Amino acid sequence: MTIDWPNVVLGFILGVLGHMGILKFEERRQKYKRIADLNKTYSYLPGTYANYRVKDGTEEPTGGRIKIVQLADGSFGAKALHANGVMEWSSEIKMSLECKGTGTGRYKYGGRPELYGTQQITYIHETRSLDVLSTNTTSGNTSVFIHRWKRIEE
């Protein structure tokens, strides 16, 4: 009995390529399922929010607004606007599927790329608001501040 080496090699190559194709397909399927799950879980999040600074448990209105939109990858874009509509900072927020109602973000000030920081976000279902713990990490002197974003019904 002789071994048909060209067919063995071709079969092996086709088997490996087929397996790689299945792995790539499954990777994409999982990615799009995660995006769909994020869209479904956090469909209520996009909108406009009034911005309040929280100091010693007391809310102080900033006069500004936060606009949140959902991005194609399931994350969110947030823009902080002054009362006159000028953007102060923008942020990309990634909400968690594992720990529902929580997320993290990274923000940067418009026109000032050297000013940036991180955000820890918690959604409060009962009040339709977001509690945001921000840490300015621009320099070695980090500062922490808390905001509450309250949903404005449009």
Side-chain angles (χ1 to χ4, degrees), residues 53 107 109 115-120 132-147:
R53 182 179 285 263
Y107 69 90
Y109 284 89
L115 299 177
Y116 54 88
T118 60
Q119 298 166 312
Q120 292 178 303
V132 182
L133 174 68
S134 298
T135 305
N136 184 324
T137 56
T138 300
S139 65
N141 299 327
T142 59
S143 58
V144 176
F145 44 96
I146 300 170
H147 283 113

Short mmCIF file of all heavy atoms in Angstrom, two decimals, residues 53 107 109 115-120 132-147:
data_model
loop_
_atom_site.label_atom_id
_atom_site.label_comp_id
_atom_site.label_asym_id
_atom_site.label_seq_id
_atom_site.Cartn_x
_atom_site.Cartn_y
_atom_site.Cartn_z
N ARG A 53 -22.31 68.36 41.10
CA ARG A 53 -21.11 68.02 41.86
C ARG A 53 -21.58 67.65 43.26
O ARG A 53 -22.42 68.33 43.84
CB ARG A 53 -20.14 69.18 41.92
CG ARG A 53 -18.84 68.83 42.65
CD ARG A 53 -17.87 69.99 42.68
NE ARG A 53 -17.25 70.19 41.39
CZ ARG A 53 -16.04 69.72 41.07
NH1 ARG A 53 -15.34 69.04 41.94
NH2 ARG A 53 -15.53 69.94 39.88
N TYR A 107 -11.55 59.98 30.57
CA TYR A 107 -11.96 61.27 30.01
C TYR A 107 -10.74 62.12 29.69
O TYR A 107 -9.65 61.91 30.20
CB TYR A 107 -12.90 62.02 30.97
CG TYR A 107 -12.24 62.51 32.23
CD1 TYR A 107 -11.66 63.78 32.27
CD2 TYR A 107 -12.18 61.73 33.37
CE1 TYR A 107 -11.05 64.25 33.43
CE2 TYR A 107 -11.57 62.18 34.53
CZ TYR A 107 -11.01 63.44 34.55
OH TYR A 107 -10.40 63.88 35.68
N TYR A 109 -9.99 66.47 28.54
CA TYR A 109 -10.56 67.80 28.33
C TYR A 109 -10.39 68.21 26.87
O TYR A 109 -9.36 67.95 26.26
CB TYR A 109 -9.91 68.82 29.25
CG TYR A 109 -10.41 68.70 30.66
CD1 TYR A 109 -9.79 67.87 31.57
CD2 TYR A 109 -11.53 69.39 31.08
CE1 TYR A 109 -10.26 67.74 32.87
CE2 TYR A 109 -12.02 69.28 32.37
CZ TYR A 109 -11.37 68.44 33.25
OH TYR A 109 -11.85 68.31 34.53
N LEU A 115 -4.68 67.03 29.85
CA LEU A 115 -5.56 66.92 31.01
C LEU A 115 -6.50 65.74 30.81
O LEU A 115 -7.30 65.72 29.88
CB LEU A 115 -6.37 68.21 31.20
CG LEU A 115 -5.56 69.48 31.44
CD1 LEU A 115 -6.49 70.68 31.54
CD2 LEU A 115 -4.71 69.37 32.69
N TYR A 116 -6.41 64.75 31.70
CA TYR A 116 -7.19 63.53 31.53
C TYR A 116 -7.38 62.84 32.88
O TYR A 116 -6.80 63.23 33.88
CB TYR A 116 -6.50 62.58 30.56
CG TYR A 116 -5.08 62.28 30.94
CD1 TYR A 116 -4.77 61.23 31.80
CD2 TYR A 116 -4.03 63.06 30.47
CE1 TYR A 116 -3.47 60.96 32.18
CE2 TYR A 116 -2.72 62.81 30.83
CZ TYR A 116 -2.45 61.76 31.68
OH TYR A 116 -1.16 61.50 32.05
N GLY A 117 -8.20 61.80 32.86
CA GLY A 117 -8.42 61.05 34.10
C GLY A 117 -9.29 59.82 33.86
O GLY A 117 -9.61 59.47 32.72
N THR A 118 -9.67 59.18 34.95
CA THR A 118 -10.48 57.97 34.90
C THR A 118 -11.80 58.20 35.63
O THR A 118 -11.93 59.12 36.44
CB THR A 118 -9.75 56.78 35.54
OG1 THR A 118 -9.47 57.10 36.90
CG2 THR A 118 -8.45 56.46 34.81
N GLN A 119 -12.77 57.34 35.31
CA GLN A 119 -14.10 57.44 35.93
C GLN A 119 -14.56 56.05 36.36
O GLN A 119 -14.33 55.08 35.65
CB GLN A 119 -15.12 58.00 34.94
CG GLN A 119 -14.82 59.39 34.47
CD GLN A 119 -15.63 59.77 33.25
OE1 GLN A 119 -15.71 59.03 32.29
NE2 GLN A 119 -16.24 60.95 33.30
N GLN A 120 -15.21 55.99 37.52
CA GLN A 120 -15.92 54.79 37.96
C GLN A 120 -17.39 55.17 38.00
O GLN A 120 -17.76 56.15 38.65
CB GLN A 120 -15.45 54.35 39.34
CG GLN A 120 -14.03 53.85 39.35
CD GLN A 120 -13.59 53.46 40.75
OE1 GLN A 120 -13.64 54.27 41.67
NE2 GLN A 120 -13.18 52.22 40.91
N VAL A 132 -20.76 59.17 39.56
CA VAL A 132 -19.48 59.11 38.86
C VAL A 132 -18.36 59.59 39.79
O VAL A 132 -18.37 60.73 40.23
CB VAL A 132 -19.51 59.97 37.58
CG1 VAL A 132 -18.20 59.85 36.82
CG2 VAL A 132 -20.69 59.58 36.70
N LEU A 133 -17.44 58.70 40.06
CA LEU A 133 -16.24 59.02 40.84
C LEU A 133 -15.12 59.25 39.82
O LEU A 133 -14.71 58.32 39.12
CB LEU A 133 -15.88 57.88 41.79
CG LEU A 133 -14.58 58.03 42.55
CD1 LEU A 133 -14.69 59.16 43.57
CD2 LEU A 133 -14.21 56.73 43.23
N SER A 134 -14.67 60.48 39.72
CA SER A 134 -13.63 60.83 38.74
C SER A 134 -12.31 61.07 39.45
O SER A 134 -12.28 61.68 40.52
CB SER A 134 -14.03 62.08 37.96
OG SER A 134 -15.21 61.86 37.24
N THR A 135 -11.25 60.61 38.83
CA THR A 135 -9.91 60.83 39.35
C THR A 135 -9.09 61.50 38.27
O THR A 135 -8.90 60.93 37.19
CB THR A 135 -9.24 59.49 39.76
OG1 THR A 135 -10.10 58.82 40.68
CG2 THR A 135 -7.89 59.73 40.39
N ASN A 136 -8.65 62.71 38.54
CA ASN A 136 -7.78 63.42 37.61
C ASN A 136 -6.38 62.84 37.78
O ASN A 136 -5.79 62.95 38.84
CB ASN A 136 -7.80 64.92 37.91
CG ASN A 136 -6.98 65.69 36.90
OD1 ASN A 136 -5.94 65.24 36.44
ND2 ASN A 136 -7.46 66.87 36.57
N THR A 137 -5.89 62.19 36.74
CA THR A 137 -4.59 61.52 36.81
C THR A 137 -3.54 62.23 35.97
O THR A 137 -2.53 61.64 35.60
CB THR A 137 -4.71 60.05 36.36
OG1 THR A 137 -5.27 60.02 35.05
CG2 THR A 137 -5.58 59.26 37.31
N THR A 138 -3.78 63.51 35.68
CA THR A 138 -2.88 64.28 34.82
C THR A 138 -1.47 64.36 35.36
O THR A 138 -0.51 64.19 34.64
CB THR A 138 -3.45 65.70 34.61
OG1 THR A 138 -4.73 65.58 34.01
CG2 THR A 138 -2.55 66.51 33.72
N SER A 139 -1.33 64.61 36.63
CA SER A 139 0.01 64.77 37.20
C SER A 139 0.13 63.86 38.41
O SER A 139 -0.78 63.13 38.76
CB SER A 139 0.22 66.23 37.61
OG SER A 139 -0.67 66.57 38.65
N GLY A 140 1.25 63.94 39.08
CA GLY A 140 1.46 63.14 40.27
C GLY A 140 0.50 63.49 41.40
O GLY A 140 0.28 62.69 42.30
N ASN A 141 -0.09 64.67 41.36
CA ASN A 141 -1.04 65.10 42.38
C ASN A 141 -2.46 64.75 41.91
O ASN A 141 -3.12 65.58 41.30
CB ASN A 141 -0.93 66.61 42.64
CG ASN A 141 0.44 66.98 43.13
OD1 ASN A 141 1.08 66.20 43.82
ND2 ASN A 141 0.91 68.17 42.77
N THR A 142 -2.91 63.54 42.18
CA THR A 142 -4.24 63.15 41.75
C THR A 142 -5.29 63.81 42.62
O THR A 142 -5.09 64.03 43.81
CB THR A 142 -4.43 61.62 41.81
OG1 THR A 142 -4.22 61.19 43.14
CG2 THR A 142 -3.47 60.91 40.88
N SER A 143 -6.40 64.16 41.98
CA SER A 143 -7.53 64.72 42.71
C SER A 143 -8.77 63.91 42.36
O SER A 143 -8.93 63.47 41.23
CB SER A 143 -7.72 66.20 42.39
OG SER A 143 -7.92 66.37 41.00
N VAL A 144 -9.62 63.72 43.36
CA VAL A 144 -10.82 62.91 43.19
C VAL A 144 -12.03 63.81 43.39
O VAL A 144 -12.05 64.66 44.29
CB VAL A 144 -10.85 61.75 44.22
CG1 VAL A 144 -12.14 60.97 44.12
CG2 VAL A 144 -9.64 60.84 44.00
N PHE A 145 -13.02 63.66 42.54
CA PHE A 145 -14.26 64.40 42.71
C PHE A 145 -15.43 63.52 42.29
O PHE A 145 -15.27 62.57 41.52
CB PHE A 145 -14.24 65.73 41.94
CG PHE A 145 -13.70 65.64 40.55
CD1 PHE A 145 -14.54 65.50 39.46
CD2 PHE A 145 -12.33 65.69 40.32
CE1 PHE A 145 -14.04 65.42 38.18
CE2 PHE A 145 -11.81 65.61 39.03
CZ PHE A 145 -12.68 65.47 37.96
N ILE A 146 -16.60 63.84 42.84
CA ILE A 146 -17.80 63.02 42.62
C ILE A 146 -18.86 63.87 41.94
O ILE A 146 -19.10 65.02 42.33
CB ILE A 146 -18.33 62.47 43.96
CG1 ILE A 146 -17.27 61.62 44.63
CG2 ILE A 146 -19.62 61.68 43.74
CD1 ILE A 146 -17.60 61.23 46.06
N HIS A 147 -19.48 63.28 40.93
CA HIS A 147 -20.62 63.92 40.25
C HIS A 147 -21.81 62.97 40.25
O HIS A 147 -21.63 61.74 40.32
CB HIS A 147 -20.26 64.28 38.80
CG HIS A 147 -19.42 65.50 38.70
ND1 HIS A 147 -18.13 65.48 38.27
CD2 HIS A 147 -19.69 66.80 38.97
CE1 HIS A 147 -17.63 66.69 38.27
NE2 HIS A 147 -18.55 67.51 38.69
#
